[in-house]
Amino acid sequence: MAKLLTIQGGKPLQGEVHVRGAKNLVPKAMVASLLGSEPSQLRNVPEIKDVEIVTNLLTIHGVKVDRDSTGGTMTLDPRETYSAEHSEIDAYAGDSRIPILFCGPLMHKNGEAFIPDLGGCRIGDRPIDYHLEVLRNFGAVVDKQPNGIHISAPKGLRGAKLELPYPSVGATEQVLLTAVLAEGITELKNAAVEPEIHDLIAILQQMGAIITVYTDRTIRIEGVARLSGFKHRAIPDRNESASWASAALVTQGDIYVRGAAQRDLTAFLNIYRKIGGEFEVDEEGMRFWHAGGPLKPLVLETDVHPGFMTDWQQPMVVALTQAHGVSIVHETVYENRFGFTNALKRMGAGIQLHRECLGSNPCRFGQRNFLHSAVISGPAELKGADIDIPDLRGGFSHLIAALAAAGTSNVTGIEIISRGYEHFIDKIAGLGADIAISER
Ligand SMILES: CC(=O)N[C@H]1[C@@H](OP(=O)(O)OP(=O)(O)OC[C@H]2O[C@@H](n3ccc(=O)[nH]c3=O)[C@H](O)[C@@H]2O)O[C@H](CO)[C@@H](O)[C@@H]1O
Ligand SMILES: C=C(OP(=O)(O)O)C(=O)O
């Protein structure tokens, strides 16, 4: 039965939440364990849906995955890996984007892989052309099938000179996970350099890989014949941290995020301070609060790292609905990431979407028919509404808006949020929100 979350808004969120390992790193570290000839250990693993999906996918390929019940420590033993049945793999079609990253590791282990159709948030077309192009350059043969792709390496995988058209996070990870055991040297230009990529590189280096990152977005990988296991503590989830920080700001609250790391939030914190949020840092985490006085409008463009991340855009848009004046947000990473603003408008927010680029960052969407710039006029008095969650970050931003709004919101589709936010209902309740869960 589907769950209904009822929120009585208007209470400042106050207290502490604990953020564990990053959704955008942990499942990939789990995939990396497949490359090893020995078991690996991953710490700081959150209980989120994407981890569960990847656990199941690894298990049907013969990897033994165990985790302790509370501490978040996972062991992954890939010594008896085999090719899973298509019918078993099909069960995971449409669930997550991570299966595409099984290509390289499974080809190295089994000579072939079947990858189900991908899921993930519907925030644009999300093609996998860069992934397939780099894999073909390594020598892979790709066969598109009705419900996925079959990929094989009849002549083995060889290092290649590669350049991405855009610094895609997933395609960069695809190259790393394939090149480390490919024969010879791989050079990747225009690579993504997000903190989660650096964490994955640290993991692969522990396993025995030789990887050099240059300052000009070039990554060089010298293939090795064998990799061992790793023991690693996953970096904290900077997107979850930014979401709680935004929740503190919008509800005029005060939240200590245990586990948050300042280093990976630089671009977010600059904007947070400009709009009127405050933060302080200690060894264990970060405290975020509303500094008092009216929030200030601003101009914001999303970008690849080290820019303002696209996954921070949605909670920040909710904060900007409360700023006194007109703000502009130019989304340059995904062509269709403002769908969540429809519900905010129904709640009373003043938001207009435009096809033009309202900003100066180079953007692939300006000459095309995409509503990828937003003009936000505030402050708006938000009112509770019925909301069906459309995607992960947009969905969490709806919760923030409902928590700040006057009156009652009835929220469905909250299962989507558990793909990336661990125990979020308990956390919101623990911060003093007036919420109830029922079945419908
Ligand atoms: C599980 C995970 O880590 N998800 C993150 C990852 O997604 P993901 O790795 O899917 O995002 P990418 O960096 O690959 O996508 C960036 C852009 O490149 C385009 N593209 C990508 C691949 C491709 O083959 N062809 C192509 O055109 C995409 O459509 C998008 O416009 O990085 C995004 C950008 O930081 C984040 O929002 C997601 O939270
Ligand atoms: C877009 C996101 O995730 P995914 O790539 O898993 O869909 C996200 O985490 O906001």
Side-chain angles (χ1 to χ4, degrees), residues 109 115 118 124 141 168 175 180 188-189 228 294 314 317 434:
K109 278 270 159 152
I115 308 298
L118 303 186
V141 177
S168 152
V175 171
V180 283
L188 175 65
K189 291 196 164 144
S228 59
Q314 306 75 4
V317 164
D434 188 350

Side-chain angles (χ1 to χ4, degrees), residues 23-24 50 96-98 119-123 126 239 309-311 314 334 337 391-394 419-421:
K23 160 193 169 280
N24 287 353
D50 265 21
S96 157
R97 299 202 68 68
I98 306 299
C121 290
R122 288 189 292 271
I123 48 183
R126 309 199 74 178
N239 300 337
M309 195 184 177
T310 167
D311 298 3
Q314 306 75 4
Y334 290 106
R337 212 168 187 182
D391 62 69
L392 185 61
R393 308 295 163 196
R419 203 162 72 75
Y421 291 85

Side-chain angles (χ1 to χ4, degrees), residues 21-38:
K23 160 193 169 280
N24 287 353
L25 178 276
V26 168
K28 298 153 187 186
M30 293 169 69
V31 176
S33 75
L34 258 175
L35 293 161
S37 310
E38 287 154 36

Side-chain angles (χ1 to χ4, degrees), residues 18-28 30 44-56 67 74 96 98 237 240 392-393 415-424 427:
H18 185 191
V19 165
R20 297 207 279 183
K23 160 193 169 280
N24 287 353
L25 178 276
V26 168
K28 298 153 187 186
M30 293 169 69
N44 208 23
V45 177
E47 287 178 352
I48 53 173
K49 187 79 183 156
D50 265 21
V51 167
E52 191 187 314
I53 294 164
V54 177
T55 299
N56 293 343
R67 64 177 294 179
M74 176 178 272
S96 157
I98 306 299
D237 197 308
E240 186 182 351
L392 185 61
R393 308 295 163 196
E415 294 75 13
I416 293 177
I417 298 181
S418 43
R419 203 162 72 75
Y421 291 85
E422 181 179 40
H423 306 152
F424 68 96
K427 289 182 185 176

Side-chain angles (χ1 to χ4, degrees), residues 100-176:
I100 192 69
L101 297 178
F102 278 69
C103 287
L106 283 180
M107 279 193 290
H108 284 303
K109 278 270 159 152
N110 305 331
E112 58 154 10
F114 179 73
I115 308 298
D117 285 336
L118 303 186
C121 290
R122 288 189 292 271
I123 48 183
D125 256 0
R126 309 199 74 178
I128 53 167
D129 51 338
Y130 304 168
H131 292 254
L132 300 185
E133 183 61 20
V134 294
L135 287 164
R136 288 190 180 106
N137 274 292
F138 280 110
V141 177
V142 180
D143 177 21
K144 292 197 181 165
Q145 298 192 351
N147 46 359
I149 56 170
H150 180 264
I151 187 156
S152 57
K155 296 185 185 153
L157 295 163
R158 292 173 311 281
K161 269 189 175 300
L162 307 165
E163 179 161 3
L164 294 176
Y166 183 78
S168 152
V169 171
T172 299
E173 292 160 344
Q174 184 74 264
V175 171
L176 289 168

Side-chain angles (χ1 to χ4, degrees), residues 282-301:
D282 66 26
E283 287 72 25
E284 311 279 316
M286 296 181 71
R287 177 183 160 216
F288 299 94
W289 71 97
H290 188 299
L295 295 187
K296 293 177 275 301
L298 47 78
V299 174
L300 170 62
E301 295 184 81

